[in-house]
């Protein structure tokens, strides 16, 4: 029985992925003075366009079955940046078990603890973190260098804003990070050329 979110097939990796960070911002500009008024709405989401390498049928059918199992925009799946499996910072090589430090956190910062004491560059700008798992997995990007204090605590600047307030002591995942996505539309297609090589692409957005 199919249960969401799905994992992407592992028989063939992604060839190309274009990742977008979308923010809902309205801007109006005077045609006379060019004075601008900017309103930042709360909407923020990830989007991605995925291309797979050319492959033969025995490999392509795994991906085709995966896409059809999503049943258009009904199902969800877990996806991360394949080039950022490990953190750039020392989180990928040092001990530590980062956890959420305090309940009811909201907005674009996250206080965590459980880091090595006084660690410089535990996470670097561009590293990802994941909060939650399965159907509650959310993906965030770290915007500034993360240094822990003498108690192993740190404050992260992140994008997007926290989707939900994580529970105190919830695990902060710093490697193999993924978020929950769904297909951008309800029609999927694939191409087959004269040498029976398959071409598969799909677009997706964060499932909110």
């Amino acid at each position: 029985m199919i249960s969401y979110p799905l994992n992407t097939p592992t028989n063939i990796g992604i060839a190309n992925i274009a990742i977008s960070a979308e923010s809902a911002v309205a801007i109006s500009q005077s045609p006379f003075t060019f004075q601008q008024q900017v309103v930042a709405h709360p909407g923020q989401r990830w989007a991605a366009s995925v291309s797979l390498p050319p492959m033969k049928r025995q490999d392509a059918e795994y991906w085709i079955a995966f896409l059809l199992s999503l049943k258009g925009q009904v199902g969800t799946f877990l996806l991360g940046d394949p080039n950022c499996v490990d953190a750039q910072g020392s989180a990928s090589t040092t001990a530590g078990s980062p956890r959420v430090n305090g309940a009811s956190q909201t907005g674009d910062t996250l206080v965590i603890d459980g880091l090595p004491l006084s660690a410089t560059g535990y996470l670097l700008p561009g590293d990802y973190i994941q909060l939650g798992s399965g159907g509650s997995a959310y993906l965030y990007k770290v915007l500034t260098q993360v240094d822990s204090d003498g108690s192993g605590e740190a404050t992260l600047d992140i994008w997007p804003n926290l989707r939900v307030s994580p529970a105190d002591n919830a695990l902060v995942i710093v490697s193999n990070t993924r978020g929950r996505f769904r297909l951008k539309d309800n029609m999927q297609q694939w191409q087959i050329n004269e040498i029976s090589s398959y071409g598969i692409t799909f677009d997706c957005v964060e499932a909110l």
Side-chain angles (χ1 to χ4, degrees), residues 56-195:
K56 293 299 185 180
R57 182 184 178 188
Q58 60 266 30
D59 288 315
E61 294 293 2
Y62 284 95
W63 279 94
I64 293 170
F66 160 76
L67 291 171
L68 294 180
S69 295
L70 294 170
K71 301 176 182 178
Q73 295 175 292
V74 171
T76 59
F77 61 97
L78 298 175
L79 180 69
D81 185 336
N83 195 49
C84 300
V85 173
D86 295 314
Q88 303 172 95
S90 60
S92 63
T93 58
T94 60
S97 180
R99 302 274 177 171
V100 173
N101 184 12
S104 303
Q105 297 191 54
T106 60
D108 59 1
T109 60
L110 178 68
V111 182
I112 64 174
D113 59 12
L115 281 60
L117 307 185
S118 303
T120 299
Y122 183 77
L123 293 170
L124 296 180
D127 284 337
Y128 289 95
I129 64 167
Q130 175 187 330
L131 295 176
S133 61
S136 62
Y138 293 109
L139 184 67
Y140 302 92
K141 204 164 186 63
V142 176
L143 304 182
T144 56
Q145 179 170 310
V146 177
D147 303 325
S148 67
D149 63 17
S151 300
E153 300 178 358
T155 299
L156 281 58
D157 296 302
I158 57 172
W159 192 98
N161 291 344
L162 288 168
R163 302 304 192 189
V164 296
S165 295
D168 181 37
N169 210 39
L171 179 66
V172 179
I173 299 170
V174 296
S175 62
N176 295 303
T177 54
R178 298 184 295 172
R180 193 166 58 100
F181 287 76
R182 68 175 77 250
L183 295 175
K184 195 171 184 178
D185 56 49
N186 291 308
M187 182 179 72
Q188 296 305 306
Q189 62 180 4
W190 51 95
Q191 301 82 39
I192 310 168
N193 65 17
E194 70 278 3
I195 59 171

